[in-house]
Structures are given as C-alpha cells and as structure tokens.
Amino acid sequence: MGFIDEIKAKAKADKKTIILPESMDRRIFEAAETILKEDFANVVIIGTEEEVAKNSEGLDISKAIIVNPFTCEKKQAYIDLFVELRKSKGLTPEEAEKTMLSDYATFGCLMVKAGDADGLVSGACHSTANTLRPALQIIKTKPGTKLVSTFFLMKVPNCEFGDEGTFVFADCGLNQNPTAEELAAIAASSAESFESLTGKEALVAMLSHSSMGSAKHADVDKMVEATRIAKEQYPNLKVDGELQLDAAIVPSVGASKAPNSTVAGKANVLVFPDLDAGNIGYKLVQRLAKAEAYGPVCQGIAMPVNDLSRGCSAEDIVGVVAITAVQAQMM
C-alpha cells in the first residue's frame, strides 16, 4: 500500500466532511469524483447550479453535497456569525453578505466555523492569501500556536532517504523570511505534523548552506539560533542544525560533516531558512525526482484549512483532501 493510500485508509476509518469551494475549476470536480468513489470523505462543493453543471459535465458527483451560497437556508446564520466574529473591525451585515457571496472560500470557512463541515481545501485557482485570509479571520489559530505555517508532504519514489522517501518540507508556502524563533516554531509544528500523518518519529534538520560552522554568515547564524531555541523550547524534539541538505539526509555525509549529531544523515523533516529556499526546494524535488507533493498543508489553524498549488492536478487535490480529513480527525 502506497503512502497516500495509507492516509486514505485512515480518513475512511472516520469519515469527515471537507469543503471544496472552487466550483469554477474542473479539477475540483475530477477530484471530487475520485474522493466520492473511494469513499474516504464526504464532499461539499460550493457553487451555483450553473457553475456546477458547467464544470462537472460528464463526471459523477451525485454523492456530493452542493451548497449554493445565494440560496442556502443557513445564509443569514452565516452572515450573523461573520458579523459577530468581525465586529471589532466594524463589519456590517451588508459587507458580510457581499464578501460571502463573492468569495466562496469565506463562505466555506464560515461553514467550518459553524460546525457544518470539518475542513476546507482551496487554492487550485486562487492565491495562498485568498485561502488563508478568511481562515485566519474566521476560524482563527489553534490555542497555544505561536505561528501559522505550511508544509509539503513529499513522497519521493525509489528513495532510501528520509522515511523511505517520505519527508515534510517546511515552510514552503507562507512565511517569507522567518526569524530564528519563528523557525523553531515551524520545526516543532512540522515534527508534530509528520508524526501524526506517518506514525513515525520526526527527525528535524534546520537547513543551511553550512554544516556545523563550516561557513560564516548572518544567514547561518539565524539557523544556529533557531536550532538552539528549538532545543530549549521543545526538549523532546529531535532537531539539529545547521546542516547542509546532504548532511541532513545522506548517512555517510552526515557522519562526516556532523559526526556527533543524532539527526544528521537521517532527517525526515526539513526546515528551510526562508520561503524562497522552501518553495524552490519542493518544486525541484517534485519535478526532477517526480515526487508526489501534497500541500501547502497548513498547521496552526484551529480547524484544517489547506492550500493547493495552482499547478496542482486532480490527483494532488485528492491527496490533500485525504490529509485534511486525517487532520480533522485529530482536532
């Protein structure tokens, strides 16, 4: 059984309801057909009858729940909830309704907040900001969370590194240039995500162009400090750095460059120094190694709301929905 099949099996054991708000994109309906056929989650699609009919032509989505935001019987309740949540910002009922009906992700987040669904997946044809803004405004952060961040769950074929080719890469989709303290928080969240999804122990590498002082630069200093903070604030976390990528994942290189490290050469969670490195890194592995890349998956939101790459396939959407359903089980 492949890794994503294991995630689907977990999702199927306790089915959750996941919202797909992008009814303007055919890939959403192709993914929904697969999800419903494999029966590992209930699917809600937000859209008008015209949008759904146009973009689902020839596909069997008969088991999906279709919610038309313009005629939904709970529309007023969602307006009232939105106004209550944003009253400190002066949101009026008229503005709330206008936003809800023009932005289906906002409508979907209100459904999740109201308890009418367990999670949401968007981003196939919208930016990360369009997906996360309503999530942070409406669903808000998980209690005790220092930072909302994202990760990609990577499955590299024919790979002996990581957990048999399975890795978490973070942060690849949200935080542009995190501080050392933010990187430590990303490391802790990413380790928790890896362990909850794989059932394996997380070994976290704080990546750099330097290994254990081999280079001197302010960027290296940031990763050294991030490692120190992570070890101090999360004493049960197996984390080390700064490490070059090969020292982090290749046993022989790790033994040479960081012989006293318990992580070097065995890392399965890779924390990148900034968003440029993370985004470039996951796309290189995805395209050149033909890896499966699921995400960006969010961590730190009170209920699971996950982003998609706008270059995603329907198969990618299926995988992210499965991950979102498993996240919802753990909430």
Side-chain angles (χ1 to χ4, degrees):
M1 181 182 290
F3 175 74
I4 203 63
D5 294 319
E6 294 176 7
I7 295 292
K8 290 177 182 178
K10 288 182 183 179
K12 192 169 186 176
D14 179 17
K15 280 204 303 181
K16 299 299 181 182
T17 298
I18 308 301
I19 296 174
L20 299 173
E22 294 175 301
S23 56
M24 63 293 296
D25 193 305
R26 183 168 175 83
R27 290 172 294 175
I28 295 299
F29 294 95
E30 292 170 346
E33 182 181 52
T34 298
I35 295 162
L36 294 167
K37 181 179 179 181
E38 296 184 4
D39 195 31
F40 63 80
N42 302 313
V43 175
V44 174
I45 298 173
I46 300 176
T48 64
E49 286 80 0
E50 293 78 14
E51 289 168 328
V52 172
K54 176 183 176 182
N55 294 306
S56 67
E57 186 177 359
L59 300 171
D60 180 9
I61 57 158
S62 57
K63 294 182 181 178
I65 302 165
I66 308 299
V67 174
N68 184 334
F70 295 89
T71 60
C72 176
E73 62 181 17
K74 290 191 174 182
K75 183 174 78 170
Q76 188 59 51
Y78 295 146
I79 292 172
D80 295 342
L81 175 60
F82 198 8
V83 170
E84 176 63 23
L85 291 168
R86 302 292 289 170
K87 62 183 178 183
S88 65
K89 303 296 183 182
L91 184 70
T92 67
E94 293 76 20
E95 291 169 338
E97 181 174 14
K98 181 179 178 181
T99 301
M100 280 171 38
L101 298 182
S102 62
D103 179 15
Y104 293 174
T106 295
F107 194 96
C109 285
L110 287 163
M111 290 184 66
V112 172
K113 183 69 173 180
D116 294 328
D118 301 301
L120 178 144
V121 173
S122 186
C125 55
H126 291 87
S127 70
T128 295
N130 288 131
T131 299
L132 297 187
R133 186 187 306 110
L136 294 173
Q137 290 177 345
I138 295 165
I139 301 173
K140 304 187 185 298
T141 57
K142 183 179 177 182
T145 296
K146 294 183 178 180
L147 182 75
V148 173
S149 59
T150 71
F151 67 89
F152 269 83
L153 186 65
M154 308 293 295
K155 182 62 178 177
V156 187
N158 305 313
C159 178
E160 69 271 31
F161 306 129
D163 178 32
E164 298 179 349
T166 300
F167 295 88
V168 157
F169 286 14
D171 181 345
C172 303
L174 184 57
N175 294 286
Q176 180 67 51
N177 190 18
T179 64
E181 189 164 60
E182 289 171 336
L183 284 163
I186 290 169
S189 293
S190 300
E192 182 182 357
S193 294
F194 180 87
E195 291 179 353
S196 64
L197 289 170
T198 69
K200 306 291 181 62
E201 182 180 42
L203 299 171
V204 185
M206 309 299 278
L207 297 183
S208 174
H209 68 277
S210 169
S211 288
M212 300 303 183
S214 64
K216 304 296 181 185
H217 191 275
D219 290 345
V220 176
D221 295 340
K222 181 174 78 166
M223 300 311 288
V224 172
E225 179 66 3
T227 304
R228 185 194 67 77
I229 294 170
K231 288 181 176 181
E232 180 182 280
Q233 295 188 355
Y234 312 99
N236 295 324
L237 181 65
K238 287 196 174 180
V239 57
D240 213 351
E242 85 289 10
L243 291 168
Q244 293 165 296
L245 186 280
D246 56 354
I249 67 170
V250 181
S252 60
V253 180
S256 173
K257 294 186 175 183
N260 298 319
S261 174
T262 59
V263 169
K266 298 178 286 187
N268 47 35
V269 176
L270 305 181
V271 177
F272 292 82
D274 57 39
L275 189 59
D276 287 336
N279 192 270
I280 292 166
Y282 101 77
K283 288 184 177 177
L284 273 172
V285 175
Q286 180 188 30
R287 300 299 180 180
L288 299 186
K290 299 187 181 347
E292 299 169 37
Y294 300 101
V297 180
C298 298
Q299 47 195 8
I301 300 175
M303 293 293 287
V305 173
N306 287 322
D307 192 20
L308 296 163
S309 168
R310 277 174 283 180
C312 68
S313 65
E315 184 179 3
D316 294 333
I317 299 169
V318 171
V320 173
V321 169
I323 291 168
T324 306
V326 172
Q327 284 183 307
Q329 292 173 352
M330 299 180 292
M331 291 295 179

